[in-house]
Amino acid sequence: MMVKYSLLFNFAVTRTGGGLKRLHEYTKWFHKKGGARFIIHPNCEFLIKKFPNNQYFVVLQTRTQRLFKDCDYLSDIKKEIGVPDLYYSYGIPVYSSFGKVNWFHMSNVLPFNSKGVELSFFDRYIKFKMLGQKIKNNYKNADIISAESYNSLGLIKNQAPEKLSLSINGSDDEISYLHNKSAMEKDDTAVVVGTQKYKALINSYHIFRTLREKNKQLKLILIGNKETIPQELLNKDDVIATGVLKQSRVIEYLRKAKYYISTTLIENSFNAASEGVIFADESYISDIGPHRELLINEIYDQISIPNISGSVLRVKRDDLVGKNLKSWDGIICESIEKVNKLL
């Protein structure tokens, strides 16, 4: 499929995690198809050399600019490129009808639902609450509104159903691994990916200690920002904190893990969990909407773990067939078809 339209993707606030993964896959895909335009954060400038067929606009905004002058840079971009056929905004409110077709993608559910999640005053009332209100106030400017799970789409209220679209993350690595199923020697490790407070790491440690009763050599590896890991876990002899790692290193840890653990309280997508349950031998994941969507028509157990309220889903990789996974190529092609119908 060659791209015959003018496309502008706004990833200006994307630096890490699932957003960076989506940005990388989009820039790679469109580079192969002749190129598109991307607004990116300075931390993502490495994409310019990697996928040069695209045109890039590098934007850096301060917190104050995001609060009071968000997206001011778009006026200069429009002067240069005119009105694009598609304007795609990743997590940033669509403040005006910028393109012929305007697409808002929900990148984070916390602006819409942070109940039960421990957040700082700034994050709860300034960052997420204000952002959520801005997004909702500007739904009217979006022709398409997407999220990464049906659970997340359910948080979008009072919008015409035809505007809503499911746009999950691609799982190319997982699909390939499932098809090959090459044996790999495993380490005595249980891996947690992500250390934000909503990941509920104390609960992850409770699961780990239960698993360690059968294997005294087991170590818990926490991948992510060390500053957000509870000090009591950092002091444990059976816990290893790696800090933030490149995606390739994360996958390497998961491939070698006997166990994957995720006790996250809230998620936009099942992307992180899909990597864990496919690569690790056995996984224990929280019973939340996106995780249930990952496991539709798959085999798993719903169990209880001491010291954890609510149930946990136990998954064995050899029982999985990946029924709910999609490739990035399929996802992006579906998106282009949706735009075609509106142009």
Side-chain angles (χ1 to χ4, degrees):
M1 175 188 287
M2 293 300 294
V3 179
K4 57 184 178 180
Y5 300 117
S6 169
L7 312 174
L8 177 64
F9 296 87
N10 191 348
F11 284 83
V13 297
T14 297
R15 289 178 287 177
T16 59
L20 178 55
K21 184 175 182 179
R22 181 174 286 249
L23 171 59
H24 181 274
E25 295 298 329
Y26 274 47
T27 52
K28 179 172 70 173
W29 194 91
F30 283 101
H31 165 78
K32 293 178 180 178
K33 303 298 181 180
R37 296 185 173 106
F38 292 85
I39 304 171
I40 60 173
H41 187 276
N43 287 16
C44 301
E45 285 186 279
F46 68 91
L47 295 168
I48 298 175
K49 289 185 177 179
K50 194 169 184 180
F51 305 117
N53 285 342
N54 301 308
Q55 181 181 3
Y56 299 89
F57 301 92
V58 181
V59 170
L60 177 63
Q61 287 187 298
T62 65
R63 280 184 171 182
T64 302
Q65 287 172 323
R66 282 222 67 199
L67 284 172
F68 301 108
K69 294 184 177 181
D70 198 13
C71 289
D72 269 13
Y73 52 82
L74 285 177
S75 58
D76 289 335
I77 292 175
K78 180 170 278 190
K79 289 177 184 177
E80 180 174 342
I81 70 171
V83 177
D85 292 309
L86 170 68
Y87 172 64
Y88 176 103
S89 185
Y90 184 82
I92 304 169
V94 179
Y95 293 103
S96 65
S97 183
F98 187 84
K100 294 178 183 176
V101 174
N102 297 278
W103 186 321
F104 171 76
H105 181 80
M106 181 195 292
S107 63
N108 190 335
V109 294
L110 289 174
F112 304 87
N113 179 23
S114 60
K115 186 178 180 180
V117 179
E118 184 181 351
L119 295 169
S120 67
F121 179 87
F122 177 86
D123 282 350
R124 183 176 298 279
Y125 295 104
I126 305 298
K127 181 179 179 180
F128 291 127
K129 190 170 184 179
M130 287 185 64
L131 175 59
Q133 197 56 53
K134 287 181 179 180
I135 291 171
K136 294 171 187 175
N137 290 345
N138 289 283
Y139 278 153
K140 61 183 181 293
N141 298 318
D143 303 291
I144 302 172
I145 302 171
S146 62
E148 294 169 16
S149 66
Y150 287 113
N151 185 76
S152 297
L153 280 176
L155 299 173
I156 300 171
K157 307 297 183 183
N158 303 318
Q159 297 301 307
E162 59 268 22
K163 288 180 67 169
L164 302 182
S165 177
L166 179 68
S167 181
I168 66 174
N169 285 310
S171 301
D172 293 27
D173 291 338
E174 297 95 305
I175 293 169
S176 175
Y177 191 76
L178 275 175
H179 287 167
N180 295 328
K181 287 200 171 180
S182 55
M184 176 174 285
E185 186 176 343
K186 296 292 186 176
D187 296 333
D188 287 322
T189 57
V191 173
V192 172
V193 180
T195 60
Q196 301 94 325
K197 289 184 178 180
Y198 64 85
K199 298 292 186 178
L201 296 182
I202 297 299
N203 285 345
S204 295
Y205 187 73
H206 289 319
I207 294 176
F208 164 73
R209 291 299 299 183
T210 299
L211 296 171
R212 200 170 190 271
E213 291 175 3
K214 297 179 181 179
N215 182 355
K216 300 301 182 183
Q217 303 303 312
L218 200 64
K219 296 286 187 180
L220 179 63
I221 297 177
L222 304 178
I223 300 175
N225 187 352
K226 293 182 181 181
E227 294 181 3
T228 52
I229 299 174
Q231 189 61 44
E232 62 184 286
L233 295 186
L234 292 174
N235 293 337
K236 302 286 187 182
D237 293 335
D238 50 11
V239 172
I240 300 169
T242 68
V244 178
L245 301 176
K246 291 183 178 179
Q247 180 67 13
S248 59
R249 289 283 288 137
V250 175
I251 297 298
E252 187 177 328
Y253 272 104
L254 289 171
R255 284 178 180 267
K256 293 182 178 180
K258 287 187 176 178
Y259 302 102
Y260 167 72
I261 301 172
S262 173
T263 50
T264 183
L265 301 174
I266 191 170
E267 289 290 346
N268 182 18
S269 74
F270 56 63
N271 183 245
S274 69
E275 292 175 345
V277 301
I278 297 301
F279 293 130
D281 281 349
E282 188 171 318
S283 297
Y284 294 78
I285 60 178
S286 51
D287 190 356
I288 60 173
H291 289 172
R292 286 273 182 171
E293 291 178 35
L294 170 63
L295 299 175
I296 291 173
N297 296 321
E298 298 277 16
I299 297 171
Y300 63 92
D301 298 315
Q302 184 177 345
I303 64 172
S304 297
I305 299 287
N307 302 310
I308 295 181
S309 61
S311 58
V312 172
L313 308 179
R314 179 174 61 196
V315 188
K316 295 182 179 180
R317 187 196 60 236
D318 289 344
D319 291 335
L320 297 173
V321 295
K323 293 182 178 180
N324 305 300
L325 303 181
K326 290 186 176 182
S327 69
W328 278 112
D329 181 73
I331 290 163
I332 297 172
C333 286
E334 287 177 4
S335 299
I336 296 297
E337 288 303 317
K338 285 185 173 66
V339 175
N340 287 344
K341 292 176 181 178
L342 293 177
L343 285 173

